[in-house]
Each structure stands twice: as structure tokens, then as C-alpha cells.
Amino acid sequence: MLDGKKLYVKSYGCQMNVYDSERMEENLQSFGCTKVDKHEDSDIIILNTCHIRHNPTANVYSELGRIKIYKDSQLKKSKRVIVIVAGCVAQAEGEQILKQAPVVDIVVGTESYHNLPDLVQKALRSSNEKFINLEFETIQKFDMLNKPRKKQSYSSFVSIQEGCDKFCTFCVVPYTRGAEFSRKTNDIINEIKSLADSGVVEITLLGQNVNAYHGKDVNNNDFTLAKLCEEIAKIDAIKRIRYTTSHPINMTGDLIKAHASIEKLMPYLHLPIQSGSNNILKSMNRKHDRDFYLRIIESLRKSRQDMAFSSDFIVGFPGETDRDFEDTLDLVKQVGYSQCYSFKYSQRPGTPADTMKDQILEEIKDTRLSILQKLLQEQFDSFNNSTLNKTLDVLFESKGKRKEYNQIIGKTPYLQAVAVDISSNTNPEDYYGKILKTTITEIKKNSLLGKIQD
Ligand code: 5AD
Ligand code: SF4
């Protein structure tokens, strides 16, 4: 047991890591740990790391430097602090981490978190032994997920799929998260039903290739993502369904139709294309061209006319010419996104693009990124402006940060944050978990102001 041990978890990178961090916390709490918010208060520290680009990886090593100072200071007081590196850097760099950062006691890969309680207990019993667990045990990991969950908010992530078989040439995910694996349909439904019973109203289904989901129910029937969404929509208390992240080639006809037939499926889709140039898409091994992508967007808009889209873009991929970059800008203009993420290409060891000729100079990447981001910002602003004076459904979840106002914060179907002032004698908690018709009255830089309709 780990009774009374104080646990600090820091998550880097994607939503899958946020989800995994919560599950690790819950699992260790069931062994007696309590959660703390600062590493300076802890006995056990977990860094759940991201390897997708160079910067987040480097940040982990700076954090480990700070943690070493704390660990050494505690050792002087005869207190042992256990330091764990989990996540994609752990999976990718393994033993190398122990060499580079001897402060680390445990390296645990993305598919072996269920072993953490055991590893921590062993580390605590030893004087300074190091432990590494990098097995791909996704089935056992999913079994750990089947433990009852506590409600963290009215909106909850649920992991349904892990790993990726697509092997885009820039990406580490197929190496750090392993092959595509879908969780059993009934386990997912049970988890969502229990979340619904605890008050959750919005579910975001998670997977690195979520729309490649191909589960089985207890009777061995095949379940696509579309069919899974239909089942979830039958749970009364669940009012909103989302899924992320999708690959264009898995946007099958049934899923596109599901956006028309399932009202609870939100009209907002994150559908990364990465580049608008056919040459670059080919060299990235994205397995489709720009016309294919544009046709998917068109079909989704036909299926549900209020659909909005977001995407990820990479600029400065090896060999990207000015013309290729122009094609990306052109695609962005054709689609008209509501919100996007954009990155400079970052060389990742072990991926095919790392050794490609024609790597692009950093200053060219900088220029292209700022041109693209300016265009994306214009589209973001114009999407927000288009909601002015409109009445949207807003799911209220929390209190506003500014103490002088009695303000509540919610989310539109398009994930825009909306702040609403309520009268000073009203309890904000009365609104939490409710979806209310709200008219957008003002557009701020990163949020909207609204008024609830009576
Ligand atoms: N360099 C830059 N961006 C990358 N991404 C993935 N790998 C790299 C890389 N090597 C971006 C992609 C992906 C998002 C999660 O991160 O746009 O969709
Ligand atoms: Fe990475 Fe491509 Fe798989 Fe997405 S689809 S996780 S970008 S390899």
C-alpha cells in the first residue's frame, strides 16, 4: 500500500496524456496516495511526457533539473522522493533517460501504466534501484480503465482507441503508442453510463486515430465509431458527443451520415490535413490528396450545414517549396476553419522524414508559420464574429476567474468559451451541468460574452 504518500502528476502534450494522467492518479489514489498540486509537496512525482516535437521533449529535462534540487533537499531530511517519467518520451528514450537524468527512479511506457502501483512500491522498498517498464500491454491498460471513475467535470474524456498504424513520415506516435488497438464496446458503454450517473453530460471519445475505431460487443458484433456514437446517444443523460483525433481516410460514409442523424454529435470536427500540397501530402505518407479531403469536408457540410472544422498544419516539412506552402494557404481559404493548430516541422529521431534531404531552414519555417498563423487568426476571429447576436446552446461548467463579477463559464457546440454574468444573489453552481440557450452579446479576443435566454 502507499498510504499517505503525496502524489504530483504533471501532464504534457495531448488530451490522451491528460486522460492517462487522470487514470494514473485514480489508480494510485486507490492504493492510498493523495493528490497534491506542487512537486515541492510530494513524495511521488510523475511527469507524463510528450515526444511529438523537440520543444516539449526538452522541457521535460529542464523540469527534471528542478525536481533534482527538490529530491536532493528531501534526501538530506532522510525523505525519499520517487521520480517517474511516463508517456511518450519514456517510451521513445527508455534507458537513455536514466543516463541523462539519474534523478529518475522509474521509466514507464505509455501502455504499462497499470503496473505503476507495483513499481512504486518496489522503488520505495529499494535504496536506489531503477525500474523500466516499456511493454505494449494495451489490453491490460484498458482493463485498468474499467475501474469506476470519479467525475472530474461535466465534460469527460473516454479513451476508446490507442495507437496508430498510419506511419506519417514526420510522426513518432506509431513508435511511442504502438499499433492501433480498439477497446471493447461494452466496456466503453459501461464507463459512459457510470459517468452519466455521476452527472457527466458531455463525452469526448479519444484515440490517436479515433475514427479508425473497430470494436466488438459481447456478442462479437463489429462496432464502427458511427455505431458506437448511436449507442452512446441512447444514454439519456449524455447530451453531447465529440470524438478526436480523426484521420481523413477513416471518415467513412456511415460516420458522415451519423453527423446528420445523431443530434447529440456536435457539429464541430477536428480533421487534421497537415498540408494543402499534394506533393507534401505524398511525402508525408498521408494516404490521400487535397481533393479527397475537400470532398470529405463538403460531404460533412451537406450532412449537417452548421458543421465547423479545425485542423493541424505543419510548415517547413522537408522539400516544401513556396508553391507547396501557397497550396496550404489556398486550402485554408477554401475550407474556412473555425480554429486551427499550426507547427513548424520538427525533426524526430527514428522517423523517415528526419533523414530526408531538403530540410528547410529555420528562418523560412518561421516566416511561413507567421504567414499561416495570421490567416488562421483571421478565420478564428471571423468565425467568432459570425456568432454575434446568435443564440447558441452553452454547457455551463465553472465559475469565471474575475472575482468582482458573479460570472459563469460555458462552452458552445464549437468549443468557444462563453462568459455570462449572473445576478449577485444567484449560486453559480445552480447552472453547472446545464445546457442553456445563450445569446452572444460581445466578442472578446479569446472568449465570448453572452446572456442566457429566459
Ligand atoms: N513536427 C511538427 N509537428 C508535428 N506534429 C506531429 N509530428 C510533428 C513533427 N515532427 C503535429 C501534427 C499532428 C499534431 C498532433 O502534431 O500536426 O497532427
Ligand atoms: Fe501521427 Fe499520422 Fe498517426 Fe496522426 S495519423 S498519430 S500524425 S502517424
Side-chain angles (χ1 to χ4, degrees):
M1 290 305 275
L2 297 165
D3 281 333
K5 293 284 175 207
K6 297 199 183 90
L7 170 69
Y8 170 74
V9 183
K10 179 163 180 175
S11 203
Y12 297 79
C14 65
Q15 285 157 333
M16 188 63 96
N17 267 13
V18 175
Y19 178 84
D20 282 343
S21 295
E22 282 176 10
R23 302 291 77 69
M24 285 189 254
E25 274 169 11
E26 277 169 11
N27 198 18
L28 286 165
Q29 278 169 332
S30 73
F31 282 78
C33 291
T34 49
K35 214 176 113 180
V36 292
D37 296 331
K38 295 201 293 270
H39 78 238
E40 290 88 348
D41 295 334
S42 66
D43 305 299
I44 302 167
I45 299 172
I46 302 180
L47 301 184
N48 194 11
T49 60
C50 171
H51 198 243
I52 200 101
R53 284 172 292 277
H54 172 76
N55 286 351
T57 309
N59 287 343
V60 171
Y61 285 101
S62 335
E63 183 75 7
L64 285 171
R66 286 186 285 275
I67 287 172
K68 181 174 182 319
I69 297 171
Y70 169 68
K71 181 167 169 166
D72 290 348
S73 74
Q74 297 305 297
L75 208 54
K76 284 195 190 122
K77 299 183 209 157
S78 303
K79 182 175 134 187
R80 177 103 197 275
V81 175
I82 302 294
V83 180
I84 302 161
V85 174
C88 292
V89 177
Q91 196 69 52
E93 299 191 356
E95 203 166 358
Q96 183 57 32
I97 298 174
L98 298 176
K99 293 207 182 100
Q100 212 169 319
V103 64
V104 176
D105 300 286
I106 300 172
V107 176
V108 63
T110 55
E111 308 307 305
S112 5
Y113 297 148
H114 48 285
N115 297 323
L116 263 180
D118 187 40
L119 290 167
V120 174
Q121 289 177 77
K122 280 188 184 144
L124 280 167
R125 279 197 298 270
S126 80
S127 60
N128 193 21
E129 206 183 329
K130 308 286 177 184
F131 297 88
I132 303 188
N133 187 329
L134 301 174
E135 302 308 312
F136 280 102
E137 295 174 341
T138 313
I139 298 181
Q140 290 91 322
K141 178 180 173 184
F142 277 148
D143 283 344
M144 174 186 101
L145 303 185
N146 292 337
K147 286 189 181 175
R149 282 177 65 182
K150 268 196 270 136
K151 185 185 87 176
Q152 310 261 355
S153 77
Y154 293 90
S155 177
S156 213
F157 293 137
V158 172
S159 168
I160 68 163
Q161 182 274 341
E162 289 232 1
C164 179
D165 292 340
K166 302 280 193 304
F167 290 94
C168 298
T169 53
F170 52 82
C171 186
V172 290
V173 168
Y175 314 97
T176 59
R177 292 276 176 170
E180 258 178 33
F181 186 88
S182 293
R183 193 174 165 198
K184 280 192 213 126
T185 309
N186 292 74
D187 291 346
I188 298 168
I189 298 289
N190 288 341
E191 180 174 341
I192 296 176
K193 279 187 177 153
S194 97
L195 287 168
D197 288 343
S198 72
V200 168
V201 290
E202 179 178 76
I203 293 292
T204 303
L205 304 173
L206 280 187
Q208 270 93 22
N209 259 272
V210 74
N211 59 344
Y213 178 78
H214 52 278
K216 297 248 185 232
D217 68 5
V218 274
N219 302 319
N220 223 24
N221 295 318
D222 288 332
F223 254 79
T224 59
L225 180 60
K227 222 166 143 193
L228 181 64
C229 290
E230 266 170 40
E231 275 312 295
I232 299 168
K234 289 181 193 157
I235 305 170
D236 263 354
I238 300 298
K239 307 291 182 204
R240 289 179 162 190
I241 307 168
R242 305 176 184 278
Y243 58 92
T244 195
T245 289
S246 296
H247 193 289
I249 64 167
N250 297 116
M251 272 331 288
T252 45
D254 65 338
L255 190 52
I256 294 175
K257 278 199 202 115
H259 278 274
S261 59
I262 306 174
E263 186 70 21
K264 292 180 180 179
L265 203 49
M266 287 295 95
Y268 175 81
L269 183 65
H270 183 57
L271 192 62
I273 181 166
Q274 315 295 354
S275 165
S277 149
N278 282 338
N279 293 335
I280 297 296
L281 286 171
K282 191 150 194 279
S283 171
M284 285 177 164
N285 189 31
R286 289 291 292 179
K287 307 176 201 303
H288 65 83
D289 60 12
R290 63 182 269 149
D291 283 348
F292 177 88
Y293 181 86
L294 289 169
R295 280 200 301 276
I296 300 273
I297 298 277
E298 199 183 300
S299 314
L300 281 158
R301 281 196 168 127
K302 269 197 196 129
S303 203
R304 193 163 169 170
Q305 51 88 25
D306 58 347
M307 277 304 282
F309 296 94
S310 73
S311 176
D312 293 339
F313 290 95
I314 296 178
V315 299
F317 186 79
E320 186 186 68
T321 61
D322 285 341
R323 177 68 210 276
D324 293 320
F325 178 60
E326 289 294 326
D327 285 348
T328 296
L329 297 178
D330 181 73
L331 178 124
V332 170
K333 286 177 196 153
Q334 272 199 51
V335 175
Y337 290 98
S338 64
Q339 192 214 346
C340 281
Y341 303 90
S342 49
F343 313 98
K344 289 190 284 180
Y345 168 68
S346 168
Q347 283 180 262
R348 306 312 292 131
T351 58
D354 183 33
T355 49
M356 282 182 185
K357 290 194 301 235
D358 303 327
Q359 296 287 333
I360 304 296
L361 289 175
E362 213 50 31
E363 55 253 44
I364 296 182
K365 289 185 198 169
D366 285 331
T367 311
R368 289 183 184 162
L369 187 67
S370 74
I371 295 171
L372 175 62
Q373 288 189 336
K374 186 168 170 284
L375 175 63
L376 295 175
Q377 181 67 42
E378 281 165 17
Q379 294 200 340
F380 175 77
D381 292 340
S382 118
F383 182 78
N384 279 347
N385 287 332
S386 74
T387 60
L388 187 63
N389 299 324
K390 281 203 180 132
T391 300
L392 299 173
D393 287 333
V394 176
L395 165 59
F396 289 96
E397 291 167 292
S398 58
K399 197 168 172 4
K401 288 206 178 71
R402 291 170 65 181
K403 294 219 170 61
E404 62 273 34
Y405 297 103
N406 199 18
Q407 203 175 54
I408 49 173
I409 309 284
K411 263 184 330 209
T412 70
Y414 306 107
L415 294 179
Q416 297 152 293
V418 182
V420 171
D421 291 334
I422 51 174
S423 65
S424 54
N425 53 4
T426 322
N427 183 357
E429 292 189 10
D430 293 347
Y431 290 88
Y432 297 166
K434 293 197 176 128
I435 297 174
L436 300 170
K437 297 264 175 238
T438 305
T439 303
I440 307 306
T441 52
E442 199 180 324
I443 312 293
K444 299 268 204 188
K445 197 161 183 340
N446 284 313
S447 66
L448 314 176
L449 298 187
K451 188 173 179 304
I452 295 169
Q453 294 308 301
D454 303 321

